[in-house]
Amino acid sequence: MSPRPARRRVAVVGTGAIVTGGHLPALRAHADRTELVAAVDVDPGRLDAFRAEAGGDIAGYTSMGAMLDAVRPHLVLIGTPPSLHREQTVAALKAGAWVLCEKPLCLSLAEYDDIAAAEEASGAYASVVFQHRYGSGAAHARDLIASGELGAPLVAHCQTTWHRDAAYYAVPWRGRWATEGGGPTMGHGIHQYDLLLHLLGPWAEVRAMASRLVHDTESEDVSTALVRFANGALATVVNSVLSPDEVSRVRVDCADATVELTHLYGHRNDDWTYTPARHVAPERAAAWRTPAADVPSSHTAQLGAVLDAWDAGARPPGSGPQARATLEFAAALYKAAFTGQPVLAGEIAPGDPFHSVMHGDHPDWTPEERA
């Protein structure tokens, strides 16, 4: 057997809650394969606090460019506000580093094209954090659906009904197209419908609605969609920040079984249930039980998958076509909602206003119209 590759030198960009609460534990869990060597934050006080919490000899920088020049990391973890993601991801790729970036990877399909070009030029890869795809429960469900063991997928429901108050939107970059890219369609529900796409495969058509019902934001605070998948399945998708009883749910009704996931911000095996159709023999349904190993959805699980791909010399999951497909779905939902017309997969190409910005310069939704 060939020896395990050396530990990858890792830098984090942004040292807020998602990095301390998600990425730092993931790095600690994979300490045999990674070494945190640098951190970047524009706030020196927050940077120093993170370095103290992380421990070890971690260099601190207030400039990402200075960090890349000095440290030359193998992997960069990005946890900054969304408007910075494209620029920082491209910079890391140009420096030869792989990237694992918080969602959304960027704010438009046009920005994604910039990232794809940087990947092509550098040979490095950029993955987006969609940790709900990872963990034993999600892997098991996808295998059962993809293999046909549950029968053909027919009907699905995807629900992100969360609650965010006015104080949440008092943060300057939230609820604005230029800094967040959209409302709950881009910033909240994207995790659940990414998982839905992961389970059911390519989508074919989207019809949608969106509205501002409560919050004084540029973007929506609720959206709904009807989706036709390439395999013929029909689905509903709800993205809300107006719902006092918070829940995240994905349900897929197949010909032989219903598989359902109910959770909030993360799931384990016990959060998945399988209900067999009446005609299914008990012994067949018993084989659908979730696996004995219980790996929760997490940054730890996704970082492990990225490192496994690196060791294998393969494109990491959550990058390339996978990352683009989820972003394209978001753009299609917005286009369908704002124009009132169905949107087909592949329709939003360069020259389409929804390719360059998620609001598509629609007169009811552009920031200029609400100034």
Side-chain angles (χ1 to χ4, degrees):
M1 293 179 62
S2 60
R4 178 187 290 270
R7 294 166 72 199
R8 265 80 187 197
R9 291 162 51 82
V10 181
V12 298
V13 181
T15 60
I18 196 64
V19 173
T20 57
H23 292 283
L24 186 56
L27 289 169
R28 287 170 172 162
H30 294 288
D32 60 328
R33 307 170 75 184
T34 64
E35 179 187 9
L36 180 58
V37 296
V40 180
D41 202 298
V42 295
D43 183 332
R46 188 167 56 199
L47 176 62
D48 290 343
F50 173 82
R51 293 170 66 199
E53 179 178 352
D57 186 18
I58 302 170
Y61 297 86
T62 56
S63 162
M64 182 177 177
M67 181 277 293
L68 291 172
D69 288 342
V71 176
R72 310 302 294 184
H74 299 120
L75 173 64
V76 175
L77 309 179
I78 297 176
T80 53
S83 61
L84 302 174
H85 289 178
R86 179 196 59 82
E87 177 184 355
Q88 292 173 340
T89 296
V90 169
L93 290 169
K94 287 183 175 180
W98 282 32
V99 175
L100 181 56
C101 178
E102 282 298 322
K103 55 77 185 166
L105 180 60
C106 52
L107 301 188
S108 69
L109 290 169
E111 288 195 357
Y112 177 82
D113 291 344
D114 293 341
I115 292 173
E119 279 192 335
E120 180 69 22
S122 68
Y125 297 113
S127 294
V128 58
V129 175
F130 283 136
Q131 71 269 26
H132 292 183
R133 286 188 177 207
Y134 301 87
S136 49
H140 184 63
R142 186 170 189 264
D143 287 345
L144 288 175
I145 294 171
S147 69
E149 173 58 29
L150 303 183
L154 302 172
V155 182
H157 307 276
C158 179
Q159 174 184 352
T160 304
T161 43
W162 293 358
H163 190 270
R164 297 294 184 266
D165 60 14
Y168 176 86
Y169 284 105
V171 176
W173 56 267
R174 288 182 176 145
R176 300 179 59 195
W177 293 108
T179 50
E180 197 172 22
T185 305
M186 279 286 276
H188 304 84
I190 194 169
H191 278 298
Q192 300 315 307
Y193 64 71
D194 173 76
L195 178 57
L196 184 72
L197 298 178
H198 184 59
L199 295 175
L200 291 185
W203 59 273
E205 178 183 348
V206 176
R207 300 168 185 255
M209 292 187 290
S211 189
R212 305 181 195 96
L213 297 181
V214 173
H215 295 293
D216 184 20
T217 56
E218 291 178 353
S219 53
E220 84 290 358
D221 56 16
V222 61
S223 68
T224 62
L226 300 176
V227 187
R228 186 186 306 277
F229 281 83
N231 60 19
L234 299 180
T236 62
V237 176
V238 179
N239 309 297
S240 167
V241 289
L242 308 178
S243 308
D245 183 13
E246 295 187 297
V247 68
S248 306
R249 181 176 291 120
V250 173
R251 169 175 167 150
V252 180
D253 296 325
C254 299
D256 295 339
T258 293
V259 55
E260 187 167 9
L261 166 67
T262 303
H263 67 115
L264 187 54
Y265 299 135
H267 53 80
R268 308 185 71 100
N269 285 354
D270 287 347
D271 298 314
W272 294 81
T273 60
Y274 294 85
T275 304
R278 293 182 180 89
H279 64 267
V280 172
E283 58 271 19
R284 180 183 171 198
W288 301 338
R289 295 190 184 116
T290 50
D294 189 2
V295 180
S297 64
S298 63
H299 288 71
T300 298
Q302 181 163 4
L303 178 59
V306 169
L307 294 171
D308 288 346
W310 205 333
D311 291 347
R315 172 179 282 281
S319 69
Q322 292 182 9
R324 192 188 188 283
T326 302
L327 193 67
E328 183 190 6
F329 182 87
L333 194 157
Y334 281 125
K335 181 177 181 179
F338 297 169
T339 65
Q341 299 297 316
V343 176
L344 302 180
E347 172 181 321
I348 303 176
D352 188 307
F354 289 88
H355 183 268
S356 56
V357 286
M358 289 291 175
H359 58 67
D361 291 325
H362 190 278
D364 294 337
W365 290 92
T366 57
E368 294 77 12
E369 290 295 323
R370 303 194 76 237

